[in-house]
C-alpha cells in the first residue's frame, strides 16, 4: 500500500498552469528526491500535498485522508504529513522546547508532561537535547533547521516533506542537516525532498523525480536517473551539477 | 499686580477630587477592557473571518474613526433613549469610549497581525493547527510585540479622553473639577490640580503596561552573549 498517492493533480496560479497532471505513488519508507529547474513546480507540488495550496483537479491521499479540488479534511491530513521549510520558520517567541511541544499539545491534546517527553526524544534524535531552553535567534541556521525537523517529528507524521531545507544555510552547516535527514531515512521515514544537493539525492533517495514545466518529466531509481538520464532536459539539468 | 495662587479652597474639596479620580479610573478601566475585547474580535474578524464580517468591521471602524468622540458620546447618550434604551451618563460614557477605542485598536491590532510573515502562519497550519489556533499561539504575541507602543499610546489617549464624559455630567475627574471650580471660583488652581492627577494616573497606567509587556514578552530581549552561555549552561545541567 502506498503511503502517499498523488493522482493527476493540476494547479493553476491565475491562468498560469504550474502543475500539469502530476501523479506520484510513494511507498511506505520510500525516500523520493525531487529535482528540477527553478520554477518547475517543485515547491508547489509539496505545498499541494499538505494543502497549503489548493488544487484545481486530481486528488491527494495520505493515510486514508483525501483532498481534492473541493478541499477535504486538511487538518487530519496535516497531522500525518510533516513539512520542513527552507526558511526554518521557528516561532521566535517560544523556546525550542515550546516550539516542539506546541502542536502535540494544541492539535493532539497531549498533556504537557507527555509532550515534553516526546520533545526531548525528538530533540535527542536531531542532536539538540541541550538546546531546549534556547530561542531561535540564539541558534545557528543549521540548529534552527534541525529544531524545525524535530518540531515536525513530534507530531509523529507518516510522511515528511522537505523543501530545499539546506538552501538557506552556509555550506559548512548543510552537513549536519543532511545527516539528520539521512538518519531519518535510515529509520524508515517516508520522505519527499526537494533538493539541489544532487550528491545527497543520489546517495540517500531511493528514487529521484525530475520535474520540468509542471510535469514529472522523468523518474527512476536515483542511481539510474543520475547515471543514465533519458531525456535531453534532464541531461542538460544534471550535466553542470556533475562537474 | 501678579495673581496670587490660593490652593486652600480647592484642597478643602480634596475628597471630591479623589472621588472624581476614582471614577475616572473605573470608567476608563472598564472602557479599556471592553474596547480591547472589541479590538481583538474586530482585528481577528477582519483578517480571518468571512468577507461579510470583514466588511461590517470595516464600516464600524470607519464610522468611529471619522467622527469626534464627543459626537459619538452625544449620539449614544441622547440617541439611545429614542429606541427605548435608557442609560446613566456613566454607562453611556463607557459604551462610547469603548466603541471608540475598539475602532482604533481594531486597526492597530490588525496592522500587527498583518505584519507577521505568511511563513509563520504556514508553519503553524502545516503542523495541523486551525487558523484560530495559529492566531492564538503563533501570531498574537509577536504581533502584540510589534504594535505594543502604538496600542499603549492609544490606551493613554483613552484614559485622557474619558474627560469628555464630563460633557454629559458623568461623575469623573474633569466633571469634579468643573464642580469645584464653580463653587470656589479658583479655576487655575482647580485645573492645575486636575492636570497633576491626570499625569499621576497616566504614569501609573504606563507603568502597568510596561509590567504587562515585560510579562507578555518575557525573555525576548535580544540575548546578550553572556546570557546565551548561561542559558545553555542551565539547560545542560538540566539535561
Ligand atoms: N503564490 C504564487 N502566486 C503566483 N505564482 C506562483 C505562486 N507560487 C509559485 N508561483 C509560480 O509557480 C511556478 C512554480 O513555482 P515553484 O515555487 O513551485 O517552483 P520551484 O520548482 O519550487 O522553484 P525553485 O527551485 O525556485 O524553488 C513559478 O512560475 C512561480 O512563479
Ligand atoms: Mg521552490
Amino acid at each position: 500500500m502506498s503511503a502517499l498517492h498523488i493522482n493527476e493533480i493540476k494547479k493553476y496560479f491565475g491562468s498560469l498552469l504550474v502543475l500539469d497532471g502530476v501523479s506520484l505513488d510513494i511507498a511506505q519508507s520510500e525516500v523520493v528526491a525531487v529535482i528540477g529547474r527553478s520554477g518547475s513546480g517543485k515547491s508547489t507540488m509539496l505545498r499541494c500535498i499538505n494543502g497549503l495550496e489548493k488544487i484545481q483537479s486530481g486528488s491527494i491521499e495520505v493515510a486514508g485522508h483525501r483532498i481534492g479540488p473541493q478541499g477535504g479534511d486538511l487538518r487530519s491530513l496535516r497531522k500525518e504529513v510533516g513539512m520542513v521549510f527552507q526558511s526554518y520558520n521557528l516561532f521566535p517567541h517560544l523556546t525550542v522546547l515550546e516550539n516542539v511541544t506546541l502542536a502535540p499539545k494544541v492539535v493532539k491534546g497531549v498533556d504537557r508532561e507527555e509532550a515534553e517527553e516526546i520533545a526531548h526524544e525528538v530533540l535527542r534524535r536531531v542532536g539538540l537535547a541541550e538546546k531546549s531552553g534556547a530561542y531561535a535567534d540564539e541558534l545557528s541556521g543549521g540548529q534552527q533547521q534541525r529544531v524545525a525537523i524535530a518540531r515536525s517529528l513530534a507530531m509523529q507524521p507518516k510522511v515528511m516533506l522537505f523543501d530545499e531545507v539546506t538552501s538557506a544555510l552556509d555550506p559548512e552547516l548543510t552537513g549536519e542537516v543532511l545527516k539528520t535527514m539521512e538518519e531519518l531515512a535510515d529509520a524508515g521515514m517516508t520522505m519527499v525532498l526537494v533538493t539541489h544537493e544532487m550528491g545527497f539525492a543520489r546517495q540517500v533517495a531511493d528514487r529521484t523525480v525530475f520535474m520540468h514545466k509542471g510535469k514529472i518529466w522523468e523518474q527512476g531509481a536515483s542511481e539510474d536517473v543520475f547515471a543514465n538520464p533519458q531525456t535531453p532536459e534532464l541531461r542538460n539539468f544534471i550535466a553542470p551539477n556533475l562537474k | 499686580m501678579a495673581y496670587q495662587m490660593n490652593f486652600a479652597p480647592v484642597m478643602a474639596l480634596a475628597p471630591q477630587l479623589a472621588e472624581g479620580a476614582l471614577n475616572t479610573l473605573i470608567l476608563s478601566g472598564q472602557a479599556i477592557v471592553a474596547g480591547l475585547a472589541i479590538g481583538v474580535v474586530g482585528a481577528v474578524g477582519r483578517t480571518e473571518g468571512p468577507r461579510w464580517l470583514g466588511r461590517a468591521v470595516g464600516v464600524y471602524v470607519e464610522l468611529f474613526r471619522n467622527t469626534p468622540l464627543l459626537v459619538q458620546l452625544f449620539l449614544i447618550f441622547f440617541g439611545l433613549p429614542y429606541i427605548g434604551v435608557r442609560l446613566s451618563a456613566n454607562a453611556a460614557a463607557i459604551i462610547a469610549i469603548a466603541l471608540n477605542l475598539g475602532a482604533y485598536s481594531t486597526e492597530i491590532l490588525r496592522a500587527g497581525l498583518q505584519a507577521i510573515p505568511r511563513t509563520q502562519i504556514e508553519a503553524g497550519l502545516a503542523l495541523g493547527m486551525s487558523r484560530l489556533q495559529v492566531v492564538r499561539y503563533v501570531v498574537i504575541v509577536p504581533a502584540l510585540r510589534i504594535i505594543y507602543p502604538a496600542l499603549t499610546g492609544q490606551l493613554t489617549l483613552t484614559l485622557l479622553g474619558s474627560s469628555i464624559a464630563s460633557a454629559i455630567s458623568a461623575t469623573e475627574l474633569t466633571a469634579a473639577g468643573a464642580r469645584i471650580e464653580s463653587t470656589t471660583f479658583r479655576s487655575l488652581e482647580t485645573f492645575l490640580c486636575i492636570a497633576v492627577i491626570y499625569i499621576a494616573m497616566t504614569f501609573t497606567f504606563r507603568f502597568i503596561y510596561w509590567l504587562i509587556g515585560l510579562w507578555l514578552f518575557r525573555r525576548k530581549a535580544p540575548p546578550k552573549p553572556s546570557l546565551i552561555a548561561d542559558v545553555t549552561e542551565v539547560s545542560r545541567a538540566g539535561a
Side-chain angles (χ1 to χ4, degrees), chain B residues 137-169:
Chain B
Y137 297 108
V138 177
V139 174
I140 270 284
V141 170
L144 265 181
R145 193 174 150 77
I146 295 169
I147 50 88
Y148 202 63
L151 188 65
T152 53
Q154 190 63 44
L155 298 185
T156 300
L157 286 180
T158 297
L159 174 70
L160 299 178
S162 69
S163 71
I164 64 133
S166 60
I168 54 171
S169 58

Side-chain angles (χ1 to χ4, degrees), chain B residues 161-233:
Chain B
S162 69
S163 71
I164 64 133
S166 60
I168 54 171
S169 58
T171 54
E172 47 67 70
L173 181 58
T174 303
R179 238 177 305 116
I180 292 170
E181 190 262 351
S182 69
T183 52
T184 62
F185 302 106
R186 292 278 162 189
S187 318
L188 183 60
E189 291 86 340
T190 305
F191 286 104
L192 275 175
C193 288
I194 300 285
V196 167
I197 296 174
Y198 273 116
I199 288 173
M201 288 197 296
T202 53
F203 273 73
T204 308
F205 270 57
R206 284 166 61 184
F207 180 67
I208 293 171
Y209 303 146
W210 179 75
L211 287 179
I212 292 174
L214 278 190
W215 173 76
L216 265 179
F217 315 123
R218 57 192 173 271
R219 296 202 50 204
K220 262 331 278 175
K224 296 190 198 83
S226 65
L227 254 178
I228 299 179
D230 289 344
V231 167
T232 43
E233 282 314 313

Side-chain angles (χ1 to χ4, degrees), chain A residues 47 50 52 75 78 81 83 85 89-93 102-103 106-107 130-131 133-135 137-138 151-152 155, chain B residues 119-120 122-130 133 137-138 141-142 218-220 222-223 228 231-232 235-236 239:
Chain A
R47 292 167 58 81
N50 77 346
L52 286 177
R75 291 191 62 199
R78 285 171 180 155
V81 182
M83 179 143 183
F85 302 85
N89 302 346
L90 294 185
F91 305 133
H93 59 300
L102 178 62
V106 308
V107 176
E130 83 282 11
K131 292 292 185 192
Y135 287 92
D137 58 11
E138 299 165 357
R151 178 174 70 178
S152 196
M155 289 296 284
Chain B
T119 51
Q120 285 282 305
E122 287 180 347
L125 292 176
L127 287 166
M129 292 185 222
S130 69
Q133 284 174 335
Y137 297 108
V138 177
V141 170
R218 57 192 173 271
R219 296 202 50 204
K220 262 331 278 175
I228 299 179
V231 167
T232 43
S235 54
R236 215 169 273 143

Side-chain angles (χ1 to χ4, degrees), chain A residues 13 16 18 37-44 164 196:
Chain A
F13 284 113
L16 178 69
V18 175
R37 286 191 199 289
S38 181
S40 56
K42 308 179 297 292
S43 296
T44 305
E164 294 193 32
H196 288 303

Side-chain angles (χ1 to χ4, degrees), chain B residues 75-88:
Chain B
L75 282 174
I76 286 168
F77 186 56
F78 297 118
L80 285 184
Y82 286 103
I83 56 168
V85 183
R86 211 156 270 289
L87 293 171
S88 69

Side-chain angles (χ1 to χ4, degrees), chain B residues 19-38:
Chain B
E19 196 196 337
L22 184 64
N23 281 331
T24 286
L25 286 180
I26 293 170
L27 190 149
S28 36
Q30 287 173 308
I32 282 174
V33 170
L36 283 181
I38 295 170

